[in-house]
Every structure is written in C-alpha cells, then in structure tokens.
Amino acid sequence: MTTPSAGAHATSANRGLTAYDAVVVGAGFAGIYAMYRLRKEGLKAICYEAGEGVGGTWYWNRYPGAACDFESVEYSYSFDEQLQQEWKWSTRMARQPEIKAYLDHVTDRYDLRRDMRFSTRVTAAHFDDATSLWTVSTDRGDRVTARHVVMATGCLSTPKPIEYPGADSFKGEILRTAFWPKEPVDFAGKRVGVIGTGSSAIQAIPIIAEQARHLTVFQRTPNFSIPAGNGPLTEEQDRLQKQAYADLRRREWDSDVGICAKLAPDTRKALDCTPEEREAEYEKRWAAGGLYFYCSFVDLLVDKEANRTITEFAQRKIRAKVKDPKVAELLVPKDYPFGAKRICADTGYYETFNRDNVTLVDVKSTPIREIVPEGLKVGDQVHELDMLVFATGFDAMTGTLLNIDIVGRGGKRFKDHWGDGPRSLYGIMPSGFPNLYITTGPGSPSVLYNMVLGNEYHVDWIMGCIRHLERHGSTTIEAKPEPEMQWRETVNAIGKMTLFGEASSWYMGDNVPGKPRVILPYLGGFRSYKKICDDEAASGYPNCVVA
Ligand code: NAP
C-alpha cells in the first residue's frame, strides 16, 4: 500500500528533506507495534526514540524491583500467535530486564531496528497547510517530512522534576527511579532516603532496605498495595497458558480492564452480596496477587458504600502486617477511596517497615523544606543521607506531548489546544492536527486497561484511518471540533460519576503543580470505548473531516 508520495508536494520550506509516510515518536510497546504495522502495510516509516534502545518506560525505569504488576502472559503482544507461543516468561509478572529483553526480541524478530533512530528526541512537529505534510525535527538536527505522525509517547514518560531546592549542594548521590543508571547501584553500608510511596517506590523499597545500612522513607500520602504474589512460571503453567491463549485474548478484548488470566473481573455488585460473600471474594483475590483484587466487584469505584467495604478490608490487611501500631497507622490510607489513586502491587513492602534499619517519616504533617549537603531537611530536622532516591512520579499522560512543539493547521498550537486540559476525539485525534494520532492518550481507557492491548488497538485503529484515506484517494483525516468537544464532555461526565475525583492523584493531574484538574483516562470501560471507535470506523468516520 502507498499513500500519495510525501515528497510530491514539496515547498521551499520542506524541499530536500527525507520524506516518510509516517513518523513514529517513541519505541515502547506502542511504537514498536506501530512500526510493525506500518511496515506490513508497505509504508515508509521511521521511529525516533530518546532512549538508547527500545523499551520506552521499560527502558528508563530499571530501578531495583521494577516489574509488571499483572501476568506477563497478558502484558504482552497479542498480534502474532507464533510470537505468543515462542516467548517463554520465567515469572508470572516479569521483571524489567525480562520485559526489555522481550521488546528487544520483538524488535529484532520483525527486523524493525533498521528504521529506528535512538538517542534522538523529537522536539517539534509542524503541519504545512500547503502540502498537508508534517515536518518533524529532533534534538540531533534531523528534519524529515511525513504524511502521518503517530505519537507513541507513553503515559508515564516525563518524570516530575526535583521539586526541592538544594539538590546541587548534596554531598551524596541523587538517583531517580525514572532515570535509573544502567550500572548496578551499591547500597551497602549507605544511609539511603526514598522520597515517594507510589508504585515505583513500593517495588524498590524492600530491595533497598535489604542492602542499605539504613533506609528512611519520606511519605507524603500512603498508598494501597496488594501482595504481587509473583513467582516462577512453571513449564506446566506455561504449557497450559499457551494452549488457552486464544481464549484468554478473546476475553481480554471483551473486558473493561483487559486482565483476566487468573481471575476474571467479577460482575456482581459488592452491595448485592452478604458481608461473608464479600469477605470471601476479597480474600480470594487478595491471595491471587496483583491487580485482580481491584476487580472484585463492579460498583467499587462508583458507590461510596461499596468502596468502604474494600477500603476497610485493605486497611485491615495493612494493619495486620506492620508490628508498630504508630507506623501502621501512618501506612494506612484513610483520606481517599480505595482505587481512586493507582493501586500498587508489592513484594514485602509493608513488612519492610518491621525492619530495624527502616524509618518512616511523614512529610505531610511536617513537609520537606530542602536538600542540604548532609541530607534532607524536613521541618527543622536534617535526616543525614548518603543517597537520595526520588520516586516522585510523572507529569502523566500529557507532559510528554506538551513538551513537543506541535503546530497544526493554520498555525494552531497544540499547547493552546490543551491549555485547559486535553481534548481529542476518542483520545486519539486532536482537532486541527490532521493525521496526527496519539496512542493510549488522555480521553481513552489508557492506563485503566491492559496497556499493551490498548496500544495494539489504537495502532490498528490508526491503520484503519490510513487505509481509509488510501481507499478514497484522500490525504488527511482530522477530528471535527464539535464531536471532539462532546467526547471531552462525555469523558468528564463519566469521570464525575465515579469516586476518582475524591483522591489527589495523577489520574486527575493533581500531582503536577498548576496542571488543570480533569480526569485523564476515559472511565467508561474498554468494551464500550472499543464499540464507539469501531463504529466510527465502520460508518466512514462521520466525526472526522476526510479531505
Ligand atoms: P506516583 O505513583 O505518582 O508516586 C509518586 C510518589 O511520590 C507519591 O507517593 C507522591 O506523593 C510522592 N511525591 C510526589 N511529589 C512529591 C513531593 N514533591 N514531595 C514528597 N512526595 C512527593 O509515581 P510512581 O510510583 O513512579 O508510579 C507512577 C505510575 O507508574 C503508577 O501509578 C503506575 O501506573 C505506573 N507504575 C507501574 C508499575 C508496575 O506496573 N509495576 C511500577 C511503577 C510504576 P502524593 O501521593 O502525595 O503525591
């Protein structure tokens, strides 16, 4: 398949630039699959990636303990049955090195690397009204044109900056989970501080505690964490899973969360069950490990009373694990509903606070003031440290896109378009930016669905748009402004029907000072979302302008 040659309409501005049918930004799960599909469709595509290799989030986040928090048999590509059958995971929930190795394998298996440029960050994408081409620029001086731009930039790819003064004065070493060094980090004999208690910190803390002389955890808000229950994947389990792969994938595509391998999401309401039935369900899912617990009942995130039952269950579990009641009370979330902040999965997280070499410091009641040469100053007290680890999260879902200078039709600036929060049709197509597509962006189920399958779905949908243009001899497709606005209102209205707004979280943009407070993912569930997007394509893109 070919699109009208990208070089055919060169203007003085883009003449002489290498012309591609598509530029893909990012070589994580989405970017790799986008390159596979574009190549398969006979398109000339290039992928730019800031990291030195493929992996995206799994390239950068190589901190100790980094691992998937649901089954890798699900958190993996579904597009090629042979690939599924040949890859063998060593554990139920693969650790970062294995996920990175898997993505390297996929990249090489389909010979995608030759069209990827690493250590290269896309800095700008400008649309030319005269030629309907994008000019894409990078920090290494590349300038190319493309008919299509696929922003496979990930949801958690722009770490928050260090928000305290004095980092330069620190005599020890500063580390960040989201930019972890490739060389092993030696904590032995060191006094280590970790700021943050989200998913990254919760995975790293037990491992650091085992090695360090002393670990001080600086906690602003406690999180709910479920035991991961990770362990080796036996030959027999692997064989059985592979036998049943087709059925598993069918169930995932037909579910709202895309996680079904061990326990399917329950379809009952918590409040329709007796307390004993609820308790049994919670116990079963807690024991299953990881995110299955989250899917115990369907009303947990829309009904406060239902949520209270799971919140209290999880609170009891935390209290039972921590010996010092004062420390336990600090670790128990009390100010927000279970699940309204991203839940975590851990291996021995709460138990770590029973160790003699671990201290928990509450920095909500007494905030951090600054980093000083000897360590971290909290209130008037200096905590002396040799290493300080920032696990403080990301400018999630919007940060990376807003850092790129994107200019659309008629000079429309993307930063202005998203000035009061993100807007795009189905989370994929922002209006005024023809042929520019976002994978698993805000306004789509995104981080609340299996991210690998969500990315596959979006790439396939985008390929559908490109094929539609080809079939009709058209050049551009872009969202109409009104349906885009309606979609945004739908996303917000559904968000308001849930309990997500009752927590301060990155789902709502709360973690980044000054970021507009809006619900970022679409909370209507993947099934309904998929139907809406499938219908749009099947009926010839009525909510888009095709020209
Ligand atoms: P996060 O969940 O946003 O956690 C950041 C932590 O740092 C929070 O405890 C936050 O406290 C704290 N923090 C932020 N700024 C601070 C400041 N200025 N002073 C003190 N504390 C501060 O980030 P994350 O742990 O990197 O995880 C982000 C997301 O990545 C997760 O929610 C998950 O979706 C994904 N993730 C997944 C996995 C996995 O699948 N296994 C692993 C890691 C990450 P507040 O809550 O008070 O803001």
Side-chain angles (χ1 to χ4, degrees):
M1 175 178 139
T2 51
T3 53
S5 162
H9 304 287
T11 63
S12 56
N14 59 30
R15 189 169 296 130
L17 303 185
T18 307
Y20 291 94
D21 294 311
V23 165
V24 174
V25 187
F29 268 101
I32 292 170
Y33 181 56
M35 289 303 287
Y36 167 81
R37 279 299 314 268
L38 287 159
R39 175 86 69 71
K40 206 162 175 238
E41 301 288 340
L43 295 175
K44 184 179 171 192
I46 189 165
C47 174
Y48 291 113
E49 163 58 53
E52 287 170 14
V54 297
T57 197
W58 296 105
Y59 172 87
W60 299 102
N61 290 270
R62 48 182 85 214
Y63 58 82
C68 188
D69 57 8
F70 62 94
E71 314 281 311
S72 289
V73 67
E74 306 194 81
Y75 190 82
S76 48
Y77 291 118
S78 74
F79 66 86
D80 184 340
E81 173 62 9
Q82 245 182 322
L83 171 66
Q84 292 192 145
Q85 292 296 331
E86 76 193 16
W87 183 263
K88 162 102 170 65
W89 297 105
S90 67
T91 52
R92 281 181 54 205
M93 300 163 184
R95 299 191 173 85
Q96 179 271 339
E98 197 169 357
I99 301 175
K100 169 87 174 80
Y102 169 74
L103 290 173
D104 276 319
H105 168 74
V106 174
T107 306
D108 293 331
R109 189 187 193 284
Y110 302 102
D111 188 24
L112 303 175
R113 214 173 283 271
R114 66 183 152 97
D115 292 325
M116 292 177 165
R117 302 290 173 269
F118 298 104
S119 306
T120 308
R121 186 177 288 279
V122 167
T123 51
H126 291 185
F127 185 74
D128 182 340
D129 293 311
T131 59
S132 295
L133 294 176
W134 287 91
T135 301
V136 177
S137 313
T138 76
D139 62 354
R140 291 176 69 131
D142 310 77
R143 284 184 78 226
V144 300
T145 65
R147 178 70 70 207
H148 302 275
V149 176
V150 181
M151 290 292 182
T153 41
C155 293
L156 297 154
S157 40
T158 296
K160 293 207 303 169
I162 294 176
E163 290 165 328
Y164 298 104
D168 288 346
S169 74
F170 185 51
K171 284 192 291 196
E173 191 179 353
I174 289 186
L175 294 159
R176 304 176 68 187
T177 49
F179 290 131
W180 200 260
K182 284 185 180 159
E183 312 70 47
V185 175
D186 185 8
F187 299 105
K190 304 269 173 53
R191 298 162 302 173
V192 183
V194 173
I195 302 182
T197 50
S199 299
S200 304
I202 281 177
Q203 290 183 329
I205 282 168
I207 296 173
I208 298 175
E210 278 173 12
Q211 299 170 17
R213 170 145 66 99
H214 193 89
L215 171 65
T216 309
V217 176
F218 300 94
Q219 171 186 273
R220 192 163 68 181
T221 312
N223 268 293
F224 287 104
S225 185
I226 291 130
N230 203 359
L233 191 66
T234 63
E235 293 289 335
E236 180 61 0
Q237 283 166 335
D238 181 58
R239 194 183 60 78
L240 291 174
Q241 278 179 350
K242 283 179 174 162
Q243 250 175 25
Y245 235 138
D247 178 56
L248 172 67
R249 293 308 193 184
R250 187 189 47 71
R251 287 186 289 122
E252 287 164 358
W253 285 116
D254 193 33
S255 91
D256 280 338
V257 289
I259 303 175
C260 317
K262 213 168 169 193
L263 285 173
D266 205 292
T267 51
R268 292 173 299 167
K269 288 184 173 177
L271 296 184
D272 288 346
C273 299
T274 64
E276 293 73 27
E277 285 168 339
R278 278 198 299 267
E279 190 75 5
E281 189 64 28
Y282 291 147
E283 282 291 359
K284 181 176 79 182
R285 285 174 180 270
W286 188 270
L291 301 189
Y292 298 110
F293 183 67
Y294 186 56
C295 311
S296 300
F297 296 104
V298 289
D299 51 350
L300 295 173
L301 284 162
V302 289
D303 185 314
K304 269 191 192 174
E305 196 45 33
N307 189 281
R308 195 181 53 74
T309 65
I310 194 166
T311 297
E312 288 178 357
F313 180 93
Q315 289 172 331
R316 262 187 279 134
K317 287 288 187 191
I318 300 171
R319 288 192 177 101
K321 288 183 188 201
V322 184
K323 288 185 186 144
D324 181 334
K326 278 197 194 131
V327 177
E329 283 318 300
L330 276 180
L331 288 167
V332 171
K334 300 185 188 85
D335 301 339
Y336 62 90
F338 177 93
K341 267 169 109 73
R342 167 64 151 83
I343 57 161
C344 309
D346 71 278
T347 303
Y349 173 66
Y350 295 111
E351 294 84 344
T352 298
F353 293 92
N354 295 331
R355 296 175 65 105
D356 292 337
N357 71 333
V358 176
T359 308
L360 180 65
V361 175
D362 171 19
V363 297
K364 186 162 256 170
S365 58
T366 310
I368 298 170
R369 278 176 43 186
E370 59 180 325
I371 302 165
V372 294
E374 301 75 28
L376 192 67
K377 195 166 183 185
V378 178
D380 289 332
Q381 190 189 347
V382 172
H383 295 265
E384 292 193 4
L385 301 167
D386 305 306
M387 280 179 168
L388 186 51
V389 177
F390 281 82
T392 46
F394 300 84
D395 185 349
M397 302 188 76
T398 59
T400 306
L401 288 164
L402 287 168
N403 282 338
I404 302 172
D405 174 29
I406 304 172
V407 180
R409 192 185 285 291
K412 184 176 185 177
R413 303 188 76 80
F414 187 72
K415 281 190 176 70
D416 297 335
H417 192 58
W418 278 22
D420 62 354
R423 66 173 87 168
S424 56
L425 187 64
Y426 313 135
I428 307 174
M429 286 199 284
S431 74
F433 300 86
N435 300 355
L436 181 125
Y437 318 89
I438 301 164
T439 59
T440 55
S444 75
S446 187
V447 290
L448 293 174
Y449 183 66
N450 177 331
M451 281 297 278
V452 181
L453 298 191
N455 276 313
E456 280 188 79
Y457 179 71
H458 273 172
V459 169
D460 289 343
W461 196 86
I462 292 163
M463 291 311 304
C465 293
I466 296 175
R467 267 198 245 110
H468 182 83
L469 296 184
E470 153 97 351
R471 270 199 306 272
H472 292 81
S474 304
T475 311
T476 56
I477 181 165
E478 64 189 287
K480 290 179 185 167
E482 241 180 57
E484 177 195 58
M485 204 56 187
Q486 276 163 12
W487 181 249
R488 184 197 216 194
E489 281 160 17
T490 302
V491 172
N492 288 339
I494 294 175
K496 286 194 177 114
M497 290 158 63
T498 72
L499 303 177
F500 279 79
E502 298 197 11
S504 168
S505 77
W506 61 258
Y507 290 140
M508 303 290 305
D510 294 310
N511 66 331
V512 174
K515 190 162 170 169
R517 186 167 210 262
V518 288
I519 184 72
L520 294 172
Y522 168 78
L523 300 179
F526 181 75
R527 262 180 309 182
S528 69
Y529 174 82
K530 182 172 182 297
K531 174 155 185 4
I532 292 165
C533 294
D534 286 350
D535 287 351
E536 175 76 23
S539 48
Y541 304 94
N543 291 305
C544 301
V545 179
V546 176

